[in-house]
Amino acid sequence: GTPRPASGAAAAQLRQRLERELDEIRGAGTWKSERIIASRQGPHLRLAGGGAGACGAAGNALPRLLPVRSPRFSLSLPAGIINFCANNYLGLSSHPEVIRAAVEALEGFGAGLSSVRFICGTQSIHKDLEEKIARFHQREDAILYASCFDANAGIFEALLTPEDAVLSDELNHASIIDGIRLCKANKYRYKHMDMQDLEAKLQEAQKHRMRLVATDGAFSMDGDIAPLKEICQLAQKYDALVFIDECHATGFLGPNGRGTDELLGVMDKVTIINSTLGKALGGAAGGYTTGPKPLIDLLRQRSRPYLFSNSLPPAVVGCASKALDLLMESNAIAQSMAAKTQRFRSKMTAAGFTISGKDHPICPVMLGDARLAAVMAEDMLNRGIYVIGFSYPVVPKGKARIRVQISAVHSDEDIDRCVEAFTEVGRKHGALP
């Protein structure tokens, strides 16, 4: 029906305040537009429409338009956009076997459970997937969530009490930070990947019953990898546990894609892993915790996001289960990432750009200025390259960047075209000499 805005003085004041805040965001050059995709996720995309309102860039400079027809709508869609900003690391979100598994699960188990797990929301495919996740990570058990954000919101409050302490890397993902805020444990924040500071904080935290070190395995904004060997050594020295968030590692880091603990040889030293099904493992949705069985049993009893959220839809479970099957059958897809990542990083560095992180398919092109990042990202789209500028509050002030993400399904030609476009745009806007 027709929109009916709330009436009254309080509602009018709220609207005025919100409009002022939104104008401030626009004025600071940190406005985040959502480009509308009208195709499957993959290395090449079609974007809906061609105007700035649809995709945040000048439509008349986009590649040629292809007419698309459906029974419900008709659109003209730009063709030839190369996608470098998805977390689709292994290209499985459009893999035919993954899609087929989702369809089969939908037909066999329905659209959804309409309930939480402990009431009438658990099906055999949920239990099978949890068993598969635990086997993949070589852990005792696993528990599914609607997202890894929910997994991070549920773990700390259920596990830690006011007698305990949690030590968190200052650049941990927002979901870890929010999860820690919810718990009543004593909170320590150590400088990013600074082992001296972590040791000092561990010494200070010795007065508490239990100590938990929490870190991202791979940090999503900078593409750097936590020094897990050193973290685990300190944890052992000070009788602490280690928790890692593996959202940007599961499926492609390590010889078999099991993540940073496998990559760095500390699988037996990390106690708890949280990760996602919404990136490399099919790209749909969902998250999980895997670790000791008593911990997983406790989460089923006390974790609020688990107890009060609907269970994962069967189609999502089917996607993730098939993605894990493909990974456990062969590590060829996971291993294909290294060469493509190195190709992009070396060519961009040779062109004169500063690329943060090391050997990770997250390749942040560091620019510093928020407006520069936004304008360059729009100009890249004009050249058929879909990338996104990141600025405050997603990253610290003064550290704006365009984050490029390499996928196993990018071709060498895709990567080279991206580098060429960056070079052209960088020179145009003064980011390169």
Side-chain angles (χ1 to χ4, degrees):
T2 303
R4 300 176 66 182
S7 60
Q13 290 173 0
L14 172 64
R15 179 177 291 272
Q16 290 174 1
R17 195 199 82 193
L18 296 177
E19 291 294 352
R20 284 196 301 270
E21 290 187 24
L22 293 172
D23 287 340
E24 289 172 4
I25 295 172
R26 294 185 186 96
T30 58
W31 184 266
K32 296 160 188 65
S33 298
E34 295 185 6
R35 297 166 180 166
I36 310 303
I37 297 171
S39 64
R40 293 180 179 180
Q41 182 65 274
H44 300 89
L45 299 174
R46 296 195 310 272
L47 299 182
C55 60
N60 57 7
L62 291 170
R64 66 187 179 89
L65 300 180
L66 295 181
V68 175
R69 299 283 185 269
S70 84
R72 296 184 61 189
F73 61 89
S74 175
L75 290 174
S76 291
L77 304 174
I81 302 296
I82 307 177
N83 181 17
F84 278 98
C85 58
N87 299 313
N88 186 24
Y89 295 112
L90 301 178
L92 296 182
S93 62
S94 296
H95 193 288
E97 292 186 47
V98 172
I99 294 172
R100 190 179 310 118
V103 172
E104 291 173 357
L106 184 66
E107 292 176 341
F109 292 90
L113 279 299
S114 305
S115 185
V116 299
R117 288 281 298 266
F118 80 95
I119 299 178
C120 59
T122 301
Q123 294 173 319
S124 58
I125 53 174
H126 294 92
K127 301 303 296 182
D128 291 344
L129 178 55
E130 287 169 337
E131 186 278 329
K132 196 174 293 186
I133 288 168
R135 181 156 40 93
F136 177 72
H137 284 284
Q138 297 181 357
R139 295 311 198 268
E140 293 176 20
D141 201 357
I143 180 173
L144 289 171
Y145 288 88
S147 68
C148 190
F149 208 111
D150 280 346
N152 286 340
I155 180 72
F156 301 104
E157 185 181 27
L159 177 63
L160 303 175
T161 75
E163 298 180 69
D164 305 316
V166 57
L167 303 95
S168 175
D169 188 293
E170 65 179 350
L171 294 188
N172 274 341
H173 190 268
S175 60
I176 300 175
I177 295 169
D178 285 0
I180 289 173
R181 284 173 177 165
L182 290 170
C183 78
K184 293 182 173 62
N186 299 275
K187 302 167 181 67
Y188 297 81
R189 186 174 67 173
Y190 64 91
K191 296 176 184 176
H192 181 49
M193 301 201 306
D194 186 327
M195 295 300 96
Q196 285 186 325
D197 194 39
L198 174 58
E199 183 166 18
K201 297 296 193 299
L202 280 166
Q203 290 170 349
E204 188 179 348
Q206 286 301 106
K207 57 192 174 186
H208 304 297
R209 181 187 67 171
M210 183 173 70
R211 292 151 297 284
L212 177 68
V213 180
T215 181
D216 276 308
F219 291 84
S220 62
M221 286 298 111
D222 291 304
D224 45 6
I225 296 171
L228 284 184
K229 283 186 179 180
E230 293 80 0
I231 288 173
C232 290
Q233 287 169 358
L234 287 174
Q236 189 170 16
K237 180 178 178 180
Y238 293 98
D239 194 24
L241 303 172
V242 177
F243 160 96
I244 56 175
D245 180 308
E246 289 285 78
C247 286
H248 291 276
T250 299
F252 58 93
L253 287 188
N256 300 290
R258 291 192 172 94
T260 55
D261 60 336
E262 183 188 48
L263 176 72
L264 299 175
V266 291
M267 291 185 70
D268 60 333
K269 302 292 192 301
V270 173
T271 306
I272 306 165
I273 294 172
N274 277 11
S275 194
T276 183
L277 306 172
K279 292 182 172 59
L281 300 184
Y288 58 86
T289 297
T290 185
K293 189 178 188 311
L295 170 64
I296 304 304
D297 289 343
L298 180 69
L299 292 175
R300 294 192 196 280
Q301 302 303 311
R302 292 187 178 171
S303 177
R304 291 166 69 85
Y306 178 84
L307 289 170
F308 298 103
S309 296
N310 269 21
S311 51
L312 275 181
V316 172
V317 176
C319 282
S321 186
K322 176 53 68 174
L324 280 168
D325 288 343
L326 294 171
L327 277 178
M328 288 192 280
E329 287 169 8
S330 170
N331 63 358
I333 303 177
Q335 291 189 343
S336 72
M337 291 296 307
K340 294 179 180 182
T341 298
Q342 179 59 29
R343 184 182 188 93
F344 178 81
R345 284 180 169 271
S346 61
K347 282 179 174 284
M348 286 290 285
T349 301
F353 287 102
T354 298
I355 310 299
S356 181
K358 181 181 178 183
D359 300 332
H360 194 283
I362 292 175
C363 303
V365 182
M366 304 304 293
L367 298 169
D369 182 74
R371 290 182 181 274
L372 177 63
V375 170
M376 282 185 59
E378 289 190 3
D379 237 355
M380 290 289 288
L381 185 61
N382 294 343
R383 288 162 171 77
I385 306 295
Y386 186 178
V387 290
I388 295 292
F390 286 79
S391 56
Y392 181 83
V394 180
V395 296
K397 289 182 178 179
K399 292 189 177 181
R401 80 283 306 267
I402 293 176
R403 188 178 69 174
V404 175
Q405 291 171 271
I406 307 299
S407 172
V409 288
H410 281 130
S411 67
D412 288 347
E413 291 75 16
D414 292 337
I415 292 170
D416 292 349
R417 183 175 164 190
C418 184
V419 174
E420 290 168 5
F422 260 112
T423 303
E424 293 173 7
V425 171
R427 287 175 180 158
K428 175 182 175 182
H429 295 284
L432 290 179

